[in-house]
Amino acid sequence: MSAWPKRRSLALRSHLILLVIVAMLPVLAFSAFVLLRFSQSEFAVAENQLSERVHLISAAVDRELENTKAAMKLLATSPSLQDSDLVTFHQQATEAARVLDVDGGIVLFDATGQQLVTTRRPFGDPLPRRPNLELLDRVFETGQPQISDLYVGVPTNRRLLAIDVPVFRDGEVVYDLSTAITPDRLSTLLAEQQLPPDWLASISDRKGTIVARSISPERFIGEPVNPSLLAKMGQAVDGSFPHVSREGIPVYTAFARSPISGWTVAIGVPESAIDTPLYRSLLMLIAGGTVLVLAGIGLALLLGRRIARPIGSLSAAALALGRGRTPGDPTPGVREVDAVGWALRKADERLRQRADERDRAEEALRASHERTVEILESISDAFYALDADWRFTYVNRRAEQVWGRPRESLIGKVLWEEFPQSLGSKSERALRRAAKERSAVDIETVSAVLDQWIQLNIYPSSSGLSVYFRDITERKRAERELARHRDHLERLVEERTRQLTTEVAERQQAEEALRQSQKMEAVGKLTGGIAHDFNNLLTVIAGNLDLLRGKLGEQPRLLRLVSMASLAADRAEKLTQQLLAFSRRQRLRPRAIDLNQVVTGMEDLFRRTAGERIEVRTILSPDLWPAMADQNQLENAVLNLVINARDAMPDGGRITIETANLLLDAENASQHPDLAPGRYAQIAVCDTGLGMPPDMVLRAFEPFFTTKDVGKGTGLGLSMVYGFVRQSNGHVTIQSAEGEGTTVRIYLPFAGTSASEAPESRAPQGESRSGSETLLVVEDDADVRALAVSVLGDLGYKVLEAATGDAALPLLMARPDIDLLFTDVVMPGSLSGVDLAQQARERHPALRVVLTTGYASSLVERERLAEAVEILRKPYRPADLAETIRTALDR
């Protein structure tokens, strides 16, 4: 072989080698360029994918919170809350909690944090206060829904996230409606995103506390995030950066902040998942280039031919990828070029997977939007939404009905152009203020468009304003009517208060009078009982003195002693009669009398009694009505009043005796509890004396109470007057003041007939007479009974005795020969004297009866018996007893 061919062959080989090298350099350079661009593209794709995924998760979190918050806001407009009907609202909230499937239930708080309603407990159970008031205070201060950071619930000791919305009434926040979700709900949300197993997703609250995590949530929930991530979260924008996870794995991290909750959503991808394929491709490129250079010239042409086809395929794949089409399988050739082709194919698959995920997110967003629209279409309030240019973006069905315009004619139109009458109105100012201050505004105003009262609730959103309004014309009309009725009621209450004040004063006066009357009644019962016992004692004393006088004969000294004792007994009898008069138990003989005649007939006596230094004058009514009373007792009463008036004027003065008619209606009679309405004749005794203080006036009628010096009065004068008048069904009053004199008025009931003369009382007839009849003496007082039995026995009567009516009745039944029953009226046991006499006369009609008593009221019982009944008043003397018994037997 010649040298030239060898040289040509070497040159050819050299040229081939040079050609291969020259040919390989562009290929290697192009491959390096493609790999660099691919690595940049792959990193950008991964970064975009991370950013899109983190924003999708953030949107899912917002959607979850927004759905819950929208449902809570809708529940906050419940009419039962506006009417404070918490029982009905508890039922609504329980149903809402079941539908929403909220973990923490639904709770209603007042401004102090006190739970009013909770779906976790039956209505009416005692409820605690909220321990942390920070979130509640923000709701009441801003009037905006609030979402809390992660906290531990006190009752359940569970980690929770609270969602609170305000409840408005008349434009003011009155309640805080709260619910809570657990971090598990957000962790489930992360799991639903179907992230690659080695990708790490987390959600952290505003304080940087982890509230949800896709990997090991039970380990890291409640822990703080990585400091480098916390520092990036403090920046104003979203982004991505490399850092080390809590497990110590280097990752590329992208994060986004939720505009609704302020929480941060972060996704971390291990650096090895992105860097390793790129490093491997670079090493393969270097190794392949070295192999290609060392392969020599023999492979130069083959490699040249084989390189062209893969590069063309790679270019076509890149072009198809750039046009959005799926690149075909790469043409086999150079391994590095094939790897780039397959990487492009993988990138296409990832892009398409990301597009599918975006489509699913958009579908979920559309579903959420449809649910929101369904809610807005079903509410009773009219609703519309505006963008930042005041254009309608949404109008619900209720707003169409209220405005009378289809929503198609409003969507996209400017509010002020479609409703120019709103310009300058209170509604416009409220809308502009809400848009400017980015805060909720609630007002009540007269709509310039509808010419009716509306309640307007305006809430700013990220895209503009959300506006609710409702017709409150009827409510305003009812409020005005209620205010009118309230004013009228207040006037009525004021008037009634004045009436009640007057009535209370009158009632107090009447109660005081009633207490005084009850006091006098109690004292009267006491004095009556004392007088009854005194009568029994005086009967024994006086009777035995009379018997003793008859047995002394001519013994002047002893007779004088007996006379003195009898005189004392007479005085004691008079005293008991005064006590009986006060207790209204004296015996009266009422008849129709003319008070003018009584005063005229006693006028001289009044003047003699008053003395020369006191003027006595009378003022008599010409047409005075006749009064029903005992004239003798009335004369004694008036004389007692004149004597008291005289004693009250030691230096002289004037006594006026006046008569008048008095007609009392029910209202005036109510001021005197013991006085019935009707006609009365009045006699008054007035003096100009010293008078009495109020405390003495209240006690003036009490027995033995006197303002006179010791030894100058018994204190029974006014009490006798009081008892006589009350027993006569009348009334007596005293008006007095120190230094202004005293006036005593006596009211006596109208007689109904003209005055007549009093019947003469029957005087004892003849001397004491004896007899031989059989008598039964019934007396519970042993001494009185012994006296009566002794006197009657001395007169020749056959006398039987018994201590009680119960003991006497069998004797009467067994002894039909008893001619007369002499019995006390008031006795212990089941039978009184009247009952005993009545039963005895039913069996023995011819039986004569004599009743003895010291009580006038008991004499009324006489009417229950036949006329053959005599009355012997205690205390009695032996002569009175003998005369009464003989009179009864002789009838």
Side-chain angles (χ1 to χ4, degrees), residues 30 307-318 331 337:
F30 178 77
I307 287 174
R309 295 175 60 196
I311 290 176
S313 175
L314 183 62
S315 176
T331 301
V337 177

Side-chain angles (χ1 to χ4, degrees), residues 732-792:
V732 58
T733 63
I734 296 181
Q735 291 179 338
S736 183
E738 290 185 280
E740 298 182 4
T742 301
T743 299
V744 180
R745 288 184 172 85
I746 296 175
Y747 305 97
L748 296 173
F750 175 61
T753 60
S754 60
S756 61
E757 293 296 328
E760 294 296 333
S761 60
R762 181 166 53 89
Q765 299 176 1
E767 297 180 356
S768 300
R769 290 175 292 172
S770 61
S772 60
E773 289 89 345
T774 301
L775 310 180
L776 175 62
V777 176
V778 184
E779 171 64 59
D780 61 297
D781 190 294
D783 293 335
V784 176
R785 186 173 69 251
L787 174 65
V789 170
S790 176
V791 170
L792 295 174

